[in-house]
Amino acid sequence: MEKDGKTSDDTAYHTGCLILPWSGGRTMSDDDVRQKAKELAETIRRSDTYMEYKVQKERISAQPELYEQVNRYRELNYELQNSPQTDDLFDRVEAFEKEYARFRQDPIVDAFLRAELALCRLMQETQNIISGEIDFDLHRGQDDCGMQ
């Protein structure tokens, strides 16, 4: 209803909420959104990027010792990237890169890390698209919607 009590053909006034055009003329419930998220996950699982990641993960997992070394490399890299800015950070990064340069030249290691990075970027881009399309004022540094 309009403010003056008259009805409107505008779908934004139907049952007090906006009717989304892709929803078949109805609003989407939280369960509908969750179902669409599952469908998106399935779409990602069928993507070339994900398929390549799975091939490379299987390939490196066939060599448990090498896979363990990759996991250690990933842990150290993560710690380094998330460490506080200090005067010696550049030196630590340089030392890390030098220490693992030969390791990264292994074709199996390199292929896995490239495939993993491609999948991470796809996931980040997907999240950025979703976040960018939603009018939601999440304050910088707040990644848990204020939940404790």
Side-chain angles (χ1 to χ4, degrees), residues 136-146:
F136 182 57
D137 187 18
L138 187 63
H139 296 288
R140 181 173 212 132
Q142 182 183 352
D143 59 3
D144 61 1
C145 293

Side-chain angles (χ1 to χ4, degrees), residues 41-57 115 118-119 122-123:
E42 178 60 29
T43 300
I44 291 169
R45 282 192 297 269
R46 289 192 317 258
S47 73
D48 294 338
T49 300
Y50 183 76
M51 298 295 234
E52 178 64 16
Y53 167 76
K54 291 296 284 182
V55 165
Q56 296 306 326
K57 185 173 184 210
L119 180 58
L122 177 62
M123 297 295 291

Side-chain angles (χ1 to χ4, degrees), residues 23-67:
S23 66
R26 64 180 182 83
T27 61
M28 307 253 331
S29 71
D30 290 354
D31 287 339
D32 293 334
V33 173
R34 288 181 190 95
Q35 181 59 41
K36 292 294 182 188
K38 289 178 183 179
E39 291 171 18
L40 175 59
E42 178 60 29
T43 300
I44 291 169
R45 282 192 297 269
R46 289 192 317 258
S47 73
D48 294 338
T49 300
Y50 183 76
M51 298 295 234
E52 178 64 16
Y53 167 76
K54 291 296 284 182
V55 165
Q56 296 306 326
K57 185 173 184 210
E58 186 175 310
R59 194 170 159 214
I60 201 162
S61 295
Q63 299 183 40
E65 189 173 300
L66 187 59
Y67 188 51

Side-chain angles (χ1 to χ4, degrees), residues 12-31:
Y13 290 97
H14 180 68
T15 65
C17 60
L18 181 62
I19 305 301
L20 305 172
W22 63 85
S23 66
R26 64 180 182 83
T27 61
M28 307 253 331
S29 71
D30 290 354
D31 287 339

Side-chain angles (χ1 to χ4, degrees), residues 76-93:
L76 292 172
N77 189 35
Y78 178 83
E79 289 171 9
L80 193 57
Q81 289 182 10
N82 290 290
S83 63
Q85 295 287 338
T86 59
D87 292 337
D88 69 336
L89 183 59
F90 179 79
D91 294 333
R92 290 176 32 220
V93 169

